[in-house]
Amino acid sequence: MTAARKSKSIRKVLIANRGAAAARIVRAVQGLGLKPVVVYSEADAQLPYVEQAAESYCIGPAPAKQSYLDQGALLDCMRRSGADALHPGYGFLSENAAFAQCVEEAGHCFIGPSPKWIELLGHKARARDFMGRMGLALGGSSAVLPANDMQAVHTAARQLGFPVLIKPAGGDGGIGMFPVHSSDELDGAWLRASALAEKAFSDPSLYLERFVQAPRHIEFQFLADRHGHVMSLFERDCSTQRRYQKVIEESPAPRLDRAVLQNMGEQLERMLANVGYDVIGTVEMLYTPESGFSFLEVNTRLQVEHAVTEAVTGTDIVQAQIRLAAGERLAEVMPVRPALNGHAIEARIYAEDPVRFFPSPGMLKVFQFPDNVPGIRVETGYAQGNAVTSHYDPMVSKLIAHGRTRDEAALRLRSALAATRIEGIKTNIPMIERVLGSARFGDAAMTVDGLQAALAEQAQTSINPTVEAKETV
Amino acid sequence: MKAICATVSGRVVQCVVNEGDAVKTGDEVVKIESMKMEIPVESEASGLIAKWLVKEGDEVQEGQALVELS
């Protein structure tokens, strides 16, 4: 249990992010009657939320290292704007404990968990060790293994049993993860993963996990105050992925025993409350009917897919995050524990080739979404005429559908996708439509490795499965 | 003279082969970073790398010739 920090009065929030995250947080900040301050790189000067914020500051050229990851520039903007809080969004510096510490030491409020939790749980190997000591099922895994001791790596892999999965200890977003099916493949994959981890996370350290065959990705959303109280906001099923990155997310998790999910949510809620975890977090798990849940990682930040939880709980998670970071008690922010209301499904629309999944930057010549359709919410940081550059991640928007049932939500999402017009770049919309139309998705049988199988099944059963016909460039 | 072209717009992060090297169809010749992904570009023919037309760090457009193949 941490000592409750002094409640901070927030008036002005600097949003250290871009795109859909920045636009979403601007809206939440304004909804609380506070002033949003946005930062932008030279490449993002035309994005619509830059105009919508109370103040905006250019923080450097397009490469993220020279703008959104420039801690000095962000802290300078805090000082210049007089902002008293910083919302990191997701990605970029959202799980950088040293940056969070700098923000707090400068006397500002970091709208996220305390730096000690980011430090402990943002590192996958430390998080596994910690959660294991707390009694959570981890599945088989090794400790962090030395990069230059292949004998130790081979010994650990044999003990776990092939196939194994190599994972960067400081990783995120599926980068540097390699399944290895035999000892012959291990040396090459290990060296490749270590080099990628060093480049992506400035940390080459790796560990091994037992490779779980055909699991579902189930994650549990939590809100917490700085006074030792934690609340579970149910779970999300994020099993539809490509390259270990999520494409479709939904809540609640379909075709899974409600009591089993409830028990896991309550167990995690107790564990997090016992240690005094604060503000916001998500515990990610893999699930198979045979082995149950096994721990994957903790995300100490807002997540892209928070919107499906918002839809089924009627909670504004971003506003709650800001209030909790400011020191308000959970009982004030969430006076009533939400009940599950219906079903929500989110599709991430990426600027990418729908067949090869290659990036497709370019100009948004047409960028139109269905307007004011019941049960449909659109989140984006772009507008027609904007450029989608190669400098940042490929997500251009999210469509979130809410319905009384899963079938109704899926139908609404398919209708919204059909009414969406994006020209100038390739998008993954044709691929999402095929997944939503597959029997595997309809039967709630998606697993994290099942996307290609769903596409293949749908192609066999569809009268006209042509993907290329809907591409617009 | 054939050319190996960029399959995606982005930044050249690694020229995997050197001028004078022999490559076969499917060999990786260059890595391009785009939208936080590293995309390998493979040779679509066999031959010798005659001349690099770009260098590491250059921004390239999809379809742009990267290397001449003889």
Side-chain angles (χ1 to χ4, degrees), chain A residues 6-320:
Chain A
K6 189 181 173 187
S7 175
K8 289 178 185 292
S9 174
I10 296 177
R11 293 171 298 107
K12 200 183 249 192
V13 178
L14 185 131
I15 299 160
N17 214 292
R18 65 173 301 283
R24 169 72 186 96
I25 299 161
V26 165
R27 208 169 63 242
V29 169
Q30 287 172 333
L32 288 171
L34 311 175
K35 285 188 177 171
V37 179
V38 296
V39 295
Y40 60 95
S41 72
E42 290 166 4
D44 286 343
Q46 306 303 319
L47 299 189
Y49 58 84
V50 174
E51 282 294 311
Q52 290 158 9
E55 292 174 43
S56 57
Y57 293 84
C58 183
I59 49 167
K65 277 187 181 169
Q66 297 170 53
S67 50
Y68 298 105
L69 293 172
D70 185 337
Q71 300 184 27
L74 292 165
L75 291 168
D76 187 49
C77 280
M78 291 288 294
R79 186 183 53 74
R80 286 163 64 197
S81 66
D84 37 34
L86 180 142
H87 197 306
Y90 38 75
F92 295 124
L93 294 167
S94 60
E95 293 186 284
N96 185 311
F99 178 62
Q101 188 72 43
C102 282
V103 171
E104 296 208 335
E105 283 174 0
H108 310 305
C109 174
F110 182 81
I111 301 177
S114 304
K116 69 169 187 176
W117 292 121
I118 304 173
E119 175 72 19
L120 178 68
L121 299 175
H123 188 273
K124 288 188 178 184
R126 282 198 290 272
R128 288 186 73 79
D129 180 53
F130 180 75
M131 297 302 269
R133 281 189 277 116
M134 304 250 292
L136 197 65
L138 296 180
S141 68
S142 73
V144 172
L145 293 161
N148 55 358
D149 187 353
M150 287 313 296
Q151 195 174 345
V153 175
H154 278 271
T155 302
R158 273 197 307 276
Q159 284 170 351
L160 286 170
F162 287 99
V164 293
L165 187 64
I166 300 174
K167 295 178 90 168
D172 192 22
I175 297 168
M177 284 167 54
F178 293 97
V180 177
H181 293 85
S182 71
S183 59
D184 296 344
E185 303 168 24
L186 193 52
D187 294 64
W190 187 267
L191 290 173
R192 200 169 156 213
S194 186
L196 270 175
E198 167 68 44
K199 192 175 167 197
F201 312 114
S202 304
D203 178 0
S205 56
L206 305 171
Y207 67 99
L208 294 173
E209 261 180 31
R210 183 174 296 137
F211 185 70
V212 182
Q213 306 273 11
R216 288 171 68 175
H217 177 119
I218 309 289
E219 60 185 32
F220 295 82
Q221 172 74 60
F222 296 93
L223 288 173
D225 64 19
R226 300 216 197 260
H227 311 273
H229 308 103
V230 179
M231 182 183 286
S232 164
L233 287 183
F234 306 103
E235 78 289 340
R236 297 184 283 261
D237 184 335
C238 310
S239 300
T240 305
Q241 305 182 0
R242 54 105 175 89
R243 283 195 304 260
Y244 301 109
Q245 287 188 320
K246 298 158 189 169
V247 180
I248 298 172
E249 302 105 334
E250 57 186 307
S251 184
R255 276 186 57 181
L256 235 164
D257 189 328
R258 200 66 241 150
V260 170
L261 292 162
Q262 182 81 14
N263 284 341
M264 179 49 70
E266 287 173 1
Q267 182 189 343
L268 292 167
E269 187 180 281
R270 280 195 301 274
M271 287 167 66
L272 294 174
N274 282 341
V275 296
Y277 186 82
D278 57 4
V279 182
I280 193 166
T282 300
V283 181
E284 299 197 337
M285 314 278 278
L286 293 178
Y287 176 84
T288 67
E290 297 76 28
S291 56
F293 288 104
S294 57
F295 174 73
L296 204 53
E297 63 178 319
V298 182
N299 288 134
T300 56
R301 56 172 165 79
L302 180 72
Q303 288 195 284
V304 175
E305 59 270 31
H306 71 279
V308 292
T309 301
E310 294 189 319
V312 294
T313 61
T315 304
D316 188 317
I317 289 178
V318 187
Q319 288 191 359

